[in-house]
Amino acid sequence: MNDQHRGRLTRDGIRIHEAGDFAGMHRAGQVAAKILDEIGPHVVPGVTTGELDAIIEAKVNAAGAKSATIGYKGYQHASCISLNHVVCHGIPGDKKLKDGDILNIDVTVIVDGWFGDTSRMYAAGNLPRKAERLIEVTHDALMLGIEAVKPGNTFGDIGHAIQTFVEAHRMSVVRDFCGHGLGRVFHSPPNVLHYGRPGTGPVLEEGMFFTIEPMVNIGRPETKVLADDWTAVTRDKSLSAQFEHSVGVTATGCEIFTLSPAGLFHPTRS
Ligand code: MF3
Ligand code: CO
Ligand code: CO
């Protein structure tokens, strides 16, 4: 049997991985998370997002990993960098960071065939109080979603935990993008929604690997994709934040493959 097809699929098409597969996901997740740790000091006013991406690409190569995003559906960069009202899939380029900008940096690497996908928020210079609150709520929402990951719970339980927390803070959850299964592939079933009702959706089983990556807006949840066919922005131009972890369901809960090796909560506070 070829490695790509080890384990089994649930009736929802979700791959159940084997116990030995967690180590590969851990290695890939840690390579991506270490790059997010190391990029923090480079996020300063005056640097361009293209320069940050070049540093990231060099670090992916230095780690002996492969970028999962270069060549993916025509995408040409080692990261997505989403500034201020950009929700996700921002394309690195010539734009210089200004004091008070907030940005999400999303890196996906392939290590020995396993995918590690993670993103965090950063700030250039001084972090405005409103942006700080948005970033805190988004990170807390991700971690509450992760707390709902255990066998017997459902994907709807994860979405519900995230949505109720975010809306209690009078912010909104983006509906147009979701998390995804991953493993030896980048995007696979299920769609991991960041909103939902308890007890709905597929039941979580040990051996499922997926991302949780909530996008939270200060204003309304609607997004639109710009003419470059990648950059997603908030329709009302309000600020947006996102954090992403790759996780694997264990017998009692989950393993977070992409935790910061340096123990950073998020680099804006390091
Ligand atoms: N890393 C993103 C995710 O979380 C996907 C980026 S695809 C790209 O799923 F082509 F835009 F890089
Ligand atoms: Co992802
Ligand atoms: Co990602």
Side-chain angles (χ1 to χ4, degrees):
M1 195 173 8
N2 144 350
D3 268 353
Q4 185 85 31
H5 298 288
R6 280 197 322 199
R8 65 181 177 86
L9 292 182
T10 68
R11 59 182 180 170
D12 299 297
I14 304 169
R15 184 162 300 283
I16 304 300
H17 297 86
E18 296 172 350
D21 297 340
F22 281 73
M25 287 297 285
H26 178 83
R27 284 197 305 274
Q30 289 297 291
V31 167
K34 185 160 183 275
I35 292 171
L36 291 189
D37 282 354
E38 292 173 355
I39 200 68
H42 297 279
V43 179
V44 292
V47 74
T48 69
T49 56
E51 288 163 352
L52 293 174
D53 182 71
I55 296 169
I56 290 166
E57 184 174 351
K59 288 182 182 297
V60 171
N61 294 331
K66 200 169 125 47
S67 166
T69 53
I70 296 175
Y72 176 77
K73 294 186 178 172
Y75 196 79
Q76 293 175 2
H77 305 274
S79 63
C80 295
I81 302 187
S82 302
L83 256 186
N84 297 329
H85 75 298
V86 178
V87 172
C88 63
H89 301 165
I91 303 175
D94 297 336
K95 197 177 206 101
K96 276 191 166 67
L97 299 183
K98 304 187 305 306
D99 182 64
D101 280 346
I102 62 166
L103 52 153
N104 174 276
I105 302 183
D106 190 338
V107 172
T108 311
V109 299
I110 313 172
V111 176
D112 297 332
W114 297 102
F115 284 68
D117 185 4
T118 183
S119 80
R120 293 184 207 155
M121 295 303 294
Y122 299 79
N126 294 300
L127 177 58
R129 180 68 194 126
K130 255 176 54 178
E132 182 177 28
R133 254 191 85 232
L134 169 68
I135 289 171
E136 278 180 6
V137 166
T138 308
H139 187 264
D140 288 351
L142 167 60
M143 299 316 284
L144 283 169
I146 290 174
E147 279 177 30
V149 178
K150 61 172 182 217
N153 276 3
T154 70
F155 281 93
D157 294 331
I158 298 172
H160 182 74
I162 293 168
Q163 182 183 10
T164 51
F165 180 77
V166 168
E167 292 178 355
H169 287 83
R170 305 194 165 282
M171 298 178 187
S172 64
V173 173
V174 169
R175 312 291 202 269
D176 300 337
F177 299 91
C178 56
H180 49 92
L182 86 171
R184 286 191 174 275
V185 291
F186 197 171
H187 294 109
S188 58
N191 286 332
V192 180
L193 306 182
H194 305 112
Y195 57 93
R197 308 300 336 154
T200 62
V203 176
L204 297 169
E205 291 181 47
E206 186 176 354
M208 289 179 175
F209 297 162
F210 52 89
T211 72
I212 307 179
E213 47 183 299
M215 287 138 277
V216 174
N217 301 346
I218 283 187
R220 295 198 45 85
E222 292 80 12
T223 70
K224 67 174 180 193
V225 175
L226 301 185
D228 61 22
D229 276 343
W230 283 105
T231 312
V233 300
T234 55
R235 281 191 174 263
D236 65 5
K237 305 268 173 42
S238 69
L239 278 186
S240 187
Q242 179 179 29
F243 284 88
E244 174 176 28
H245 275 311
S246 299
V247 305
V249 183
T250 62
T252 55
C254 77
E255 176 178 350
I256 305 174
F257 299 125
T258 48
L259 278 180
S260 161
L264 302 179
F265 160 60
H266 54 70
T268 52
R269 287 206 154 172
S270 63

